[in-house]
Amino acid sequence: MPRLVVCDLKGLLEADLPTPRPICHPVLYEGDLAMIYGWRGAGKTWFALALAYAVAAGIPFLEWECRAPRKVLYLDGEMRAARLRTRLAMIANAALPSEADPERLDILTRDMQPDDCEWPDVGSSRGREALAKSIEASDPAVIFLDNISAWLRSGKAENDAESWSEVASFLMRLRSQGRAVVLIHHAGKGGQQRGTSKREDILDTVVALRKPDDYDPAEGMRVAIEFEKSRNLDGGEIPALEIALTTADGKAVFVITQAKNDQIAKVHELLEMGANRSEILKTLGIDRFQLKRLQDKSEAEGRDFVVPDSRKRKPKSPTEGWTGYSDESDPVARG
């Protein structure tokens, strides 16, 4: 086995390393490992199919820009081929005249396999080898795997951290080939992605599709898109979107019904409830530097806020002010 190569800082800084180019800016880049997850019925497959089509066609999707057509392989392990065809036809009809080249969107589905075909299980080495051959034959820039439960069936692989490590190694090999992989997954009872949290360690982007609090099943698909993780932002943030799907006249169209900075709104809401800095950081799952960026952006929008220091007591009533507190004692407030 060859010895591992160790590089010093000078060598790293001067190395001729390719910069990953955006596939769908700013949410998906070359070699990214991403996850889209949500509760059953949230519209994960509709969302993933529309994104896959946009990437293959090189056309915008929602507020995101696909700057050039890319080869896509969609691995569907659950839906009937006839229903998959209907959905893709409706997505394609809505996208005309910017129709994707059929040769840039490959699809692998159970219903179109020969009777003696053994369906791959990525939880086994044999399944991963079989899937690798299909991927090599297609040679895609982006792979959609819909969904984890349908493709990962052996043992405790979906929930067990140790079992997942072999699948993670397989995904890392695909990344080393320059391929981006988008995993489609279910949400668990608590609303987070189902199974081991270790799965998120290697991911560059995690997108949650959540039904709004005022959602009515009669509406069809309407979800809020929340970015729980994105390594492509370099300190920035992606505004939360709320979208709805309309299907009429043989077309499937996504409409943005709401676009806002959810985190800033949540900070203001928490402040009104009397939350201090530690409580805000814990509730939003952010650090103090991210909170400072939210404060700066809110200030730029003309909505200043001051975050009470965690060490100061809360008011006993909504009318009682904060005591013993000044901006100078709060590193977030003083910037």
Side-chain angles (χ1 to χ4, degrees):
M1 181 177 179
R3 187 178 63 180
L4 295 174
V5 176
V6 177
C7 177
D8 61 17
L9 177 59
K10 183 175 183 296
L12 176 63
L13 295 177
E14 297 179 353
D16 184 15
L17 301 173
T19 301
R21 295 173 298 176
I23 294 172
C24 185
H25 179 75
V27 300
L28 187 67
Y29 278 63
E30 293 173 336
D32 271 5
L33 301 179
M35 176 190 289
I36 299 168
Y37 80 89
W39 192 248
R40 61 176 63 90
K44 298 184 294 294
T45 296
W46 271 115
F47 184 88
L49 287 172
L51 176 58
Y53 186 92
V55 170
I59 59 176
F61 179 59
L62 302 178
E63 293 187 338
W64 311 324
E65 182 181 2
C66 301
R67 298 176 178 175
R70 304 294 187 110
K71 182 66 177 291
V72 175
L73 173 60
Y74 200 96
L75 304 171
D76 186 274
E78 192 172 65
M79 185 171 289
R80 298 289 298 272
R83 290 180 179 175
L84 194 65
R85 177 176 62 187
T86 297
R87 292 191 179 191
L88 280 169
M90 295 177 73
I91 291 169
N93 289 341
L96 292 176
S98 301
E99 185 175 8
D101 184 343
E103 294 184 357
R104 283 199 292 264
L105 180 53
D106 289 349
I107 299 155
L108 192 155
T109 180
R110 283 179 182 247
D111 290 3
M112 300 183 70
Q113 306 307 313
D115 293 338
D116 59 350
C117 175
E118 179 182 352
W119 190 249
D121 177 359
V122 297
S124 69
S125 58
R126 181 173 177 174
R128 292 191 293 271
E129 182 180 351
L131 198 57
K133 291 179 180 178
S134 296
I135 292 171
E136 184 178 353
S138 174
D139 193 23
V142 187
I143 301 164
F144 285 78
L145 193 144
D146 188 1
N147 54 62
I148 289 178
S149 298
W151 284 97
L152 208 163
R153 305 181 304 281
S154 60
K156 300 182 296 182
E158 182 182 340
N159 299 308
D160 182 63
E162 185 176 349
S163 300
W164 172 255
S165 64
E166 295 183 357
V167 180
S169 295
F170 174 66
L171 296 176
M172 295 293 282
R173 286 198 298 273
L174 294 176
R175 166 190 274 174
S176 68
Q177 297 168 6
R179 309 187 200 278
V181 182
V182 181
L183 307 172
I184 316 302
H185 193 32
H186 296 295
K189 293 181 180 179
Q192 300 303 308
Q193 63 94 5
R194 192 168 71 190
T196 172
S197 60
K198 187 176 179 63
R199 184 179 294 119
E200 296 187 16
D201 293 349
I202 64 168
L203 300 179
D204 299 286
T205 302
V206 178
V207 179
L209 303 184
R210 305 189 192 280
K211 295 178 181 178
D213 294 337
D214 61 346
Y215 174 75
D216 184 343
E219 297 178 79
M221 178 187 172
R222 181 166 71 91
V223 295
I225 304 172
E226 298 181 6
F227 284 80
E228 297 185 344
K229 180 179 182 180
S230 182
R231 290 174 174 166
N232 298 316
L233 298 184
D234 293 329
E237 57 184 299
I238 302 176
L241 297 177
E242 188 175 288
I243 63 171
L245 174 68
T246 61
T247 54
D249 302 323
K251 298 179 181 180
V253 179
F254 282 97
V255 178
I256 298 175
T257 60
Q258 188 174 1
K260 64 181 181 179
N261 187 323
D262 256 358
Q263 286 191 312
I264 288 179
K266 288 178 181 177
V267 170
H268 283 274
E269 181 180 351
L270 289 168
L271 288 172
E272 290 176 3
M273 294 170 61
N276 61 33
R277 184 177 59 182
S278 291
E279 292 164 339
I280 291 172
L281 298 181
K282 182 177 180 181
T283 300
L284 298 185
I286 59 177
D287 59 34
R288 61 190 181 91
F289 301 106
Q290 291 171 308
L291 180 58
K292 180 61 171 63
R293 286 195 292 269
L294 291 176
Q295 185 184 34
D296 291 343
K297 187 164 185 177
S298 184
E299 183 179 350
E301 295 174 356
R303 297 187 297 159
D304 296 13
F305 65 78
V306 176
V307 181
D309 189 84
S310 307
R311 297 166 294 182
K312 306 304 177 184
R313 70 176 184 88
K314 296 181 183 179
K316 295 180 180 179
S317 70
T319 58
E320 181 182 351
W322 299 93
T323 58
Y325 170 78
S326 71
D327 286 357
E328 295 299 317
S329 65
D330 188 351
V332 174
R334 67 173 185 263

